[in-house]
Amino acid sequence: MTSAAEAAPSHPLHGRIDTAALRLEWAEAPWDTAVFGHPVVQVSRIEARTGASAADLAPFVAACEVGGVGLASCRLPHDRLRESMLLEEVGFRFIEMVFQPEFGDLQSAGPRDAQGLVVERARPEDLEEIVEVAGGAFRNERFHVDPRLPSRLGDLRYQNWVRSSLEHPSQRLHAVREGAELVAFFVTEQFADGTCYWHLNAVVPQRQGRGYGLRAWRAMMNQARLEGATRVRTSIVARNHRVLNLYARLGFSFPAPSMTFHRVRLA
């Protein structure tokens, strides 16, 4: 293992610390850098060992300063309190609790009644309508609830995500329709282990509160089953209680949550 002094990275936007007290890895999130207009990095791994202190994080803090990092984020299992306290010592702040509900054994469960809703791969002519929905759909997640971050950039982030998903090599943009009308959209990804991951989803504003969420989610479970998935998994912030109730009603299970932290350098 190296000493803390030897752990400073050769490039400030990605690096690793590996000492007797701490292991930390981080890298730039280029898609977020493009949106926010300043470097954004994500801590992908942190393990605080006995005796770890804020001084052990000094190379990371210095790298952020040298690289002009405006936002650093980290997600931890809910019980990693030693690591969360260490992050808070160097300016990270708790932002949200996140669940990753899962529906297993999808094939045995059989089809769900979506009451006439149809799922299709989105077409280029659908894109602008879906992008508009995405720009106002995500009000509970971290880029909107952190008061230090401009909400409009959170909107842009999700709109860019939808645009890129139309021709993404592995992600798929789906339109859920009733007749010719758009009801909801989903960005999904199929993994080799049989998991269909739902990255983004939303009901169009004029259909909300009218029972379309349950029908659309059932339609997408049927779609995942038809595509050979054995399970569905997604991510939801704990404050989005309406959607948590929806997943519970659909029979999803809820593993232990994770915590999200942000370190923001105010201009």
Side-chain angles (χ1 to χ4, degrees):
M1 293 186 180
T2 61
S3 69
E6 295 170 325
S10 57
H11 190 290
L13 298 184
H14 58 265
R16 181 166 68 100
I17 299 171
D18 193 356
T19 71
L22 178 71
R23 179 159 189 172
L24 181 77
E25 298 176 8
W26 70 93
E28 184 179 13
W31 49 91
D32 287 335
T33 293
V35 169
F36 284 86
H38 49 63
V40 176
V41 300
Q42 182 172 348
V43 175
S44 57
R45 181 173 185 175
I46 178 171
E47 297 174 11
R49 299 161 181 144
T50 302
S53 70
D56 296 294
L57 279 162
F60 168 75
V61 173
C64 288
E65 294 302 315
V66 170
V69 172
L71 170 63
S73 67
C74 182
R75 184 162 286 170
L76 291 172
H78 75 289
D79 56 353
R80 298 282 292 278
L81 298 183
R82 184 196 301 269
E83 286 79 4
S84 69
M85 292 178 183
L86 192 62
L87 290 173
E88 289 173 340
E89 285 191 55
V90 296
F92 280 85
R93 295 293 179 263
F94 172 81
I95 300 300
E96 63 184 8
M97 193 74 77
V98 178
F99 288 97
Q100 287 197 311
E102 177 179 310
F103 190 97
D105 203 13
L106 187 64
Q107 294 296 324
S108 298
R112 299 297 184 93
D113 183 8
Q115 297 176 282
L117 298 189
V118 176
V119 179
E120 300 176 342
R121 290 288 296 274
R123 304 181 294 263
E125 55 267 32
D126 299 321
L127 190 58
E128 287 313 306
E129 182 179 7
I130 296 175
V131 166
E132 183 177 356
V133 174
F138 305 104
R139 288 291 179 264
N140 291 295
E141 46 63 57
R142 61 195 180 101
F143 293 103
H144 286 91
V145 301
D146 189 334
R148 301 167 296 177
L149 303 178
S151 289
R152 62 180 176 78
L153 296 183
D155 295 340
L156 180 59
R157 180 181 191 265
Y158 292 106
Q159 289 178 318
N160 287 349
W161 193 337
V162 166
R163 286 193 180 94
S164 68
S165 69
L166 186 65
E167 297 184 358
H168 193 277
S170 60
Q171 295 180 11
R172 298 174 180 174
L173 178 59
H174 295 280
V176 183
R177 304 183 192 279
E178 184 173 53
E181 298 298 318
L182 181 71
V183 169
F185 79 86
F186 279 67
V187 177
T188 71
E189 188 166 5
Q190 188 85 13
F191 293 108
D193 66 355
T195 299
C196 178
Y197 195 89
W198 293 349
H199 288 285
L200 295 178
N201 45 58
V203 175
V204 300
Q206 60 269 32
R207 304 278 182 155
Q208 292 176 11
R210 299 168 54 190
Y212 280 95
L214 184 65
R215 293 166 61 191
W217 266 240
R218 284 173 173 168
M220 285 304 303
M221 291 175 72
N222 292 340
Q223 183 68 22
R225 181 174 176 271
L226 289 173
E227 293 178 356
T230 58
R231 70 183 63 85
V232 172
R233 185 178 296 140
T234 191
S235 180
I236 313 170
V237 295
R239 65 176 58 87
N240 195 353
H241 57 89
R242 291 178 60 189
V243 175
L244 289 175
N245 290 335
L246 172 62
Y247 280 97
R249 186 174 177 185
L250 288 166
F252 280 68
S253 60
F254 288 78
S258 299
M259 305 177 287
T260 304
F261 294 83
H262 282 173
R263 184 177 189 269
V264 176
R265 179 179 61 87
L266 298 175

